[in-house]
Amino acid sequence: MPPRTRGGYASSAPRRRPTGSERRRRVQLRDVEPAVDRDPVEHPQHDRDETEEVFEGVPGGPIDGSILRSFHNHVAAKIWWGEDRAPLKLVNHGAKLQLWELDTERSRIYETVHRSGLAPLTSCSHRVASRPMLSAFCERWQPETTTFHLPFGEMAITLDDVASILHIPVTGSMISFSQPLRVDDANALLVELLGTTDVEASRETEQCRSPSVRLLWLRNHFSTITDASSEFATRAFLLHLVGCTLFADKSATSVAVVYLELFRDLNMVGSYAWGAACLAYLYKQLTTATRFEVRQLGGYLTLLQAWIYEHFPGMFSSPDLSYTESRPRALRWRPHVIPDSLQSVRERLDRLQISDVCWEPYMDHRAEHPFPDIAWYSGCIKCGLVVEPYHPERVLRQFSYIQTIPPWPFTPPRPDRSILLDQYWERWTDHVLTDHSRGRRCQYSGSGESVPEYMACDTRNARALTLLRHVISGGREQSLDHFWGALNEEHSILAGSDETSASHNTPSPATRPFFSPPTFVYPPPALVNPPPPIVPPPPVTVAPPAPVADPSAPASDSTQSTTVYVRSKRKKKT
């Protein structure tokens, strides 16, 4: 019998001392099976619509909770209730790309990378990312609509933005995985496609504790390989490239081995819709970062930061004067860390107006890079097991069209129906917005027009809420006249009345006071059995006494009568 220990009988397997972080988290170690990566690519959570309950509304937020059903867990709702969150930690690998540059001396690797359509990523990545700016925009993201909710309406990163900013293909085959990759399968892929040994592959995945490999490990083992084994080096370089850019996860040091399957046939690398996959992955990372307990933001942050620079040039951007339109638009800007705090950026976003937005930033870029028609596609975009909705009808102003009331956002299907999603994407020309759905173009280029009904409801609710907020914050110091006046003004706002009609002498029905202060003069209460009304008696005709005959008066045959009204005896004596 084995010797007895404190925890039971001694095991033949070697024991390992837990690290400090593991002790703090109270994680039970397992010596056989390493922990599985919790990255959304490996373990997506698309059952949010089945588990989330519909809330009744949040003060200062959406009143109707039928659309934004997850808002009760949103960081914006927590901030409203007084729970603030620090700026997010950003996963940005722009500096790591410089450690493994694409060398023209190895011609076979250089040519393969350029045929893949991913070569622009080697030069357009920003080395610096602004934490307050990206964190403030992340707080404006809504997962159900996949758009940023700003004071003047919704905006989103579209496929046109991806194509113009990064110059990578947005058309082609969807990036699909049938199921999550296990650690044993990851080891087999490393041996087959990178030429490593079983021992090296097992050691690396065990160190990552997931079916992933470190970016440093890829650079150390494959950055010095010559053209003699260029296929292995090319696959390693492409895996390192997408791990630092398109699919940067929150581990900040590793990349999932599942993407290596995309580089099995190097001649087919350019046939994938890399831009659509990058956008779906960024949507998922933004959705995850809207949860209050999340402290990191992954995805390709160069795309998000350059999009902000393009559409809000007067607020955060610093242009590069040496830029030419033949290069990706991400190189047009000089990234820098803004000195403002997160709260100051929030206040700047609260003061945004339509005139502060550049709705058509790529007009000068169209000669070199035309508008992609697939940007009008309305449906789902996918990256492996991540499926996200894409709604161009909610951001028509970014396509120079008048924004109308958008339809109800649709729920993305589960990733196990990947075959149907791939077929839907392959026939994307059948699922673009029709001319009727697009509506009318803006009268003036870049004006950001919308129909009156689009912002009427949101504007009235916001104005009324802000008005009452000032009154309530005054507490007992506010006078009754001020309070009732605020309520009247609130009713006028919610009724949709025009502000100019209040200045007319004759108020319209919508501007008449709805709330009036009490005058403390109340009508008498109605009786259950009221007494019968008092009816005065009818008038009585009484003949006057006969007059005394005047001998001097002429004789007359007619007799005059006088009507006399008899007073009621009920009348009070004065």
Side-chain angles (χ1 to χ4, degrees), residues 453-517:
E453 296 83 4
Y454 175 68
M455 288 299 298
C457 180
D458 293 340
T459 303
R460 289 198 299 267
N461 291 339
R463 288 173 53 200
L465 183 62
T466 304
L467 181 66
L468 284 182
R469 209 178 286 165
H470 291 300
V471 175
I472 295 173
S473 62
R476 298 174 178 266
E477 298 179 0
Q478 298 289 339
S479 62
L480 285 177
D481 295 338
H482 182 72
F483 177 74
W484 289 109
L487 289 180
N488 284 326
E489 188 175 351
E490 183 207 6
H491 174 261
S492 302
I493 294 173
L494 295 177
S497 61
D498 192 2
E499 295 179 353
T500 58
S501 63
S503 61
H504 296 170
N505 295 329
T506 303
S508 62
T511 58
R512 291 170 186 168
F514 182 74
F515 299 99
S516 58

Side-chain angles (χ1 to χ4, degrees), residues 96-249:
K96 295 180 181 179
L97 287 175
Q98 309 299 325
L99 303 177
W100 193 358
E101 296 182 353
L102 188 60
D103 194 357
T104 57
E105 296 180 358
R106 289 175 283 186
S107 59
R108 295 179 60 182
I109 301 178
Y110 184 84
E111 293 174 0
T112 304
V113 173
H114 273 268
R115 287 199 309 268
S116 67
L118 299 176
L121 299 178
T122 60
S123 59
C124 67
S125 297
H126 294 172
R127 301 186 62 179
V128 179
S130 177
R131 292 179 61 190
M133 180 181 68
L134 299 186
S135 299
F137 271 89
C138 183
E139 295 171 355
R140 296 277 182 168
W141 180 262
Q142 294 298 334
E144 287 79 7
T145 60
T146 59
T147 55
F148 297 100
H149 287 212
L150 298 169
F152 46 79
E154 300 179 31
M155 294 186 68
I157 307 175
T158 64
L159 292 173
D160 179 33
D161 295 313
V162 178
S164 300
I165 292 175
L166 302 180
H167 281 195
I168 59 177
V170 294
T171 57
S173 302
M174 273 284 190
I175 295 180
S176 302
F177 306 130
S178 58
Q179 58 185 358
L181 191 67
R182 298 183 302 176
V183 176
D184 295 340
D185 299 332
N187 295 336
L189 275 180
L190 293 175
V191 174
E192 180 185 1
L193 300 181
L194 293 185
T196 62
T197 62
D198 293 334
V199 177
E200 291 178 345
S202 300
R203 185 186 300 115
E204 182 60 26
T205 54
E206 183 179 358
Q207 184 168 354
C208 293
R209 301 182 182 180
S210 64
S212 306
V213 293
R214 293 171 298 160
L215 301 172
L216 178 62
W217 181 81
L218 291 173
R219 292 195 299 268
N220 293 339
H221 284 73
F222 299 97
S223 61
T224 58
I225 293 180
T226 60
D227 286 347
S229 51
S230 60
E231 289 189 4
F232 296 150
T234 303
R235 294 191 184 103
F237 180 84
L238 291 174
L239 182 62
H240 182 272
L241 180 62
V242 298
C244 291
T245 54
L246 305 183
F247 311 130
D249 56 26

Side-chain angles (χ1 to χ4, degrees), residues 1-13 15:
M1 180 179 293
R4 182 75 178 236
T5 60
R6 283 187 69 183
Y9 292 98
S11 175
S12 59
R15 299 185 61 185

Side-chain angles (χ1 to χ4, degrees), residues 257-275:
V257 182
V258 68
Y259 300 116
L260 192 58
E261 186 66 37
L262 305 174
F263 310 128
R264 178 182 293 274
D265 188 356
L266 294 177
N267 295 324
M268 297 296 295
V269 178
S271 63
Y272 293 108
W274 295 104

